[in-house]
């Protein structure tokens, strides 16, 4: 006979693993909902990205990074802009790590910077 060693999990272990996975998925969903809310709020106030300089075509968010290219290649549109989305993601991480209340409006977020 061959010895098949199967991993057996108790029902309690399975429930704990499922609860942990649900919590992580809920956290990701919450982050996505908040980022979408900030994008929608920003659209009500700004036609172009608030961190875009029309005269020089520079992105102020890129200026703070070590990237040599400071020009915005999206001409100020911030829908699906990876730099703007990364900025919002970083802000979400910053607020949640410090256990602060998340801003409900983009202007609240912009003023806290």
């Amino acid at each position: 006979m061959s010895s098949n060693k199967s991993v057996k999990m108790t029902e309690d272990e399975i429930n704990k693993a499922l609860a942990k996975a649900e919590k992580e998925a809920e956290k990701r969903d919450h982050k996505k909902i908040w980022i979408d809310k900030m994008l929608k709020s920003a659209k009500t106030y700004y036609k172009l990205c608030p961190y875009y300089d029309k005269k020089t075509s520079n992105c102020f968010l890129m200026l703070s990074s070590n990237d040599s290219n400071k020009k915005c290649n999206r001409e100020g549109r911030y829908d699906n802009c990876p730099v703007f989305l990364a900025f919002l993601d970083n802000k979400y991480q910053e607020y949640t790590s410090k256990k602060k209340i998340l801003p409900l409006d983009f202007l609240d977020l912009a003023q806290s910077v």
Side-chain angles (χ1 to χ4, degrees):
M1 269 193 189
S2 65
S3 63
N4 281 342
K5 291 186 177 180
S6 61
V7 177
K8 293 187 178 185
M9 293 178 71
T10 65
E11 191 173 329
D12 190 38
E13 290 172 327
I14 292 171
N15 288 337
K16 283 181 183 178
L18 285 174
K20 184 178 179 183
E22 283 178 8
K23 190 173 184 180
E24 288 176 11
E26 185 178 305
K27 186 176 180 182
R28 276 187 246 120
D29 290 345
H30 190 265
K31 179 168 48 171
K32 183 175 178 0
I33 290 168
W34 183 81
I35 288 175
D36 289 343
K37 183 191 277 189
M38 289 297 109
L39 277 172
K40 186 177 179 182
S41 174
K43 285 179 192 177
T44 62
Y45 299 111
Y46 302 100
K47 198 173 205 177
L48 294 175
C49 178
Y51 302 103
Y52 174 69
D53 183 13
K54 287 182 190 177
K55 290 181 182 177
T56 62
S57 298
N58 282 341
C59 173
F60 294 123
L61 295 174
M62 286 180 165
L63 287 174
S64 62
S65 70
N66 294 333
D67 196 12
S68 62
N69 182 19
K70 309 298 183 197
K71 299 279 185 196
C72 176
N73 57 0
R74 301 181 51 81
E75 297 163 0
R77 292 171 308 202
Y78 53 96
D79 279 342
N80 298 321
C81 173
V83 177
F84 192 68
L85 290 173
F87 167 74
L88 290 175
D89 186 67
N90 288 340
K91 284 295 171 185
Y92 180 86
Q93 297 297 335
E94 182 181 313
Y95 275 93
T96 54
S97 68
K98 294 179 181 177
K99 305 220 185 286
K100 289 185 175 180
I101 297 172
L102 291 169
L104 301 175
D105 193 34
F106 183 77
L107 289 182
D108 297 336
L109 177 69
Q111 290 174 354
S112 70
V113 172

